[in-house]
Amino acid sequence: MKQGVSSQGEAMSWLLLSDCRATPERLLLRFVPECFEPDSVGPVVEVTVDHPEGSAAAGEALDRFREDVVISIDATSRELRLLGELDDEETVLSGTSVSVRNVAYSADELMSIARCFHEQLGQASRDKHRLSTRLGNVEHFICELMERAARRSELSTKAHPLAEARADVLGRVLVKLRES
């Protein structure tokens, strides 16, 4: 049963390992979509491998999927094959039985997603503040240049077409800056 890493026929989504619980009797894996899927009924792929061969080693081998994405999950009744984004070969896990199903996010997974969104919002706010400060500094600089050009024109006895052209360009730059 090929689980082309999509949830119920929707657009393809890459998965990250959310949870890995290994005992000699059972290996339970939960893979969450790399991008939050709020409208999906079962976005999380849950895999159970009964009596896994080398359960401790399997758990260690799977830890890399917390950072590297899974692009393909293929399961038979006794074998699980995972292909990561940068893999040349599949990671293969065997056991007495393998089952794959789509389930809803757990409370822990939702909290992790919320923390991630909170961090992203905080970073976006800091970036916005930094850019706003930079734009304010640029605007202030342009206004100073325009004032200098105006003072030079007032001090001069004859109008300089070049000074007028500079003032006109600076005025247009300032308008464009304020529009953005």
Side-chain angles (χ1 to χ4, degrees):
M1 147 169 100
K2 185 94 169 172
Q3 190 71 11
V5 186
S6 68
S7 2
Q8 303 177 3
E10 296 170 7
M12 297 296 277
S13 175
W14 292 354
L15 301 171
L16 293 169
L17 182 64
S18 167
D19 192 14
C20 176
R21 297 182 190 175
T23 66
E25 294 82 33
R26 178 167 285 155
L27 180 63
L28 177 64
L29 308 170
R30 288 179 62 91
F31 295 94
V32 295
E34 184 181 34
C35 296
F36 180 59
E37 295 182 11
D39 299 328
S40 180
V41 175
V44 178
V45 177
E46 187 176 78
V47 179
T48 304
V49 180
D50 291 321
H51 303 285
E53 294 175 11
S55 62
E60 289 176 18
L62 293 169
D63 267 348
R64 70 186 176 88
F65 289 122
R66 293 186 192 278
E67 298 293 326
D68 297 335
V69 294
V70 175
I71 59 173
S72 175
I73 296 176
D74 189 15
T76 64
S77 61
R78 296 181 43 85
E79 197 172 71
L80 173 67
R81 295 179 175 275
L82 302 171
L83 183 64
E85 177 184 25
L86 303 175
D87 289 351
D88 291 329
E89 295 181 15
E90 295 176 315
T91 300
V92 180
L93 304 171
S94 300
T96 57
S97 70
V98 173
S99 65
V100 178
R101 63 188 184 125
N102 287 77
V103 297
Y105 289 107
S106 71
D108 287 342
E109 290 162 345
L110 289 173
M111 285 300 295
S112 177
I113 291 166
R115 279 190 293 276
C116 183
F117 282 157
H118 179 72
E119 290 170 14
Q120 289 174 350
L121 179 61
Q123 185 60 47
S125 294
R126 289 187 293 277
D127 290 347
K128 180 182 179 240
H129 177 67
R130 189 179 68 251
L131 288 174
S132 176
T133 301
R134 283 185 184 171
L135 285 175
N137 291 341
V138 170
E139 183 177 334
H140 181 72
F141 179 68
I142 291 171
C143 288
E144 282 181 359
L145 291 175
M146 290 173 66
E147 287 174 16
R148 286 184 202 170
R151 278 186 290 205
R152 270 195 202 136
S153 291
E154 290 172 1
L155 295 175
S156 176
T157 55
K158 38 184 180 166
H160 294 287
L162 185 58
E164 289 176 11
R166 285 182 186 153
D168 181 54
V169 167
L170 288 172
R172 285 188 275 151
V173 167
L174 187 59
V175 167
K176 288 293 184 183
L177 180 67
R178 288 177 176 162
E179 288 176 353
S180 60

